[in-house]
Amino acid sequence: MQKVNKMKDREFYAKLVFGARWKKVDKFLASGELEEKTTIMEAFGAAAKGNDECYNHLVEAVQKATEQPVLLAGIQALGHTGRSAAASQLNYIIEHNTDETVVAAAREAIRALRQ
């Protein structure tokens, strides 16, 4: 029997993030499909620009990310926040990671922050 893709539209996940529905967001990040997790990370990038609470949740989600595509989406989201504090998070990722793809994404996100 084929597994049915149960992912909702992207707007659903963005509304959860922008609406600060953290229990639901955390549930999807913990046990959701890969695409759901990356979609939430992308929404974090936009929401965290002007929202400290959302930024803190993004940082926590990046720290907990175990799947590379989710981590990469989170790193990219940090780069979109426009926050100087994100640079220190990204530098930590660079210093404590051996995966060249992850390190390159973090460096690119730092470049995005400086623009």
Side-chain angles (χ1 to χ4, degrees), residues 5 7-18 25 28-29 32-47 58 67 69-74 76-77:
N5 185 355
M7 183 169 160
K8 299 170 179 22
D9 67 356
R10 300 175 82 71
E11 190 175 312
F12 169 81
Y13 302 99
K15 284 181 180 179
L16 290 179
V17 171
F18 279 89
V25 168
F28 280 113
L29 287 173
E33 300 289 324
L34 187 65
E35 192 175 356
E36 289 173 319
K37 294 175 187 181
T38 56
T39 300
I40 287 171
M41 289 294 204
E42 292 165 4
F44 269 137
L58 169 60
E67 298 154 305
V70 178
L71 179 57
L72 293 174
Q76 189 174 25

Side-chain angles (χ1 to χ4, degrees), residues 29-99:
L29 287 173
S31 60
E33 300 289 324
L34 187 65
E35 192 175 356
E36 289 173 319
K37 294 175 187 181
T38 56
T39 300
I40 287 171
M41 289 294 204
E42 292 165 4
F44 269 137
K49 285 181 181 180
N51 183 316
D52 291 343
E53 185 181 12
C54 188
Y55 173 77
N56 292 335
H57 278 276
L58 169 60
V59 170
E60 184 180 335
V62 168
Q63 291 171 348
K64 289 180 178 178
T66 56
E67 298 154 305
Q68 189 191 51
V70 178
L71 179 57
L72 293 174
I75 288 170
Q76 189 174 25
L78 282 170
H80 290 299
T81 64
R83 292 172 174 254
S84 57
S88 62
Q89 292 295 325
L90 293 164
N91 279 318
Y92 181 87
I93 290 169
I94 291 168
E95 293 168 8
H96 294 87
N97 229 296
T98 56
D99 184 330

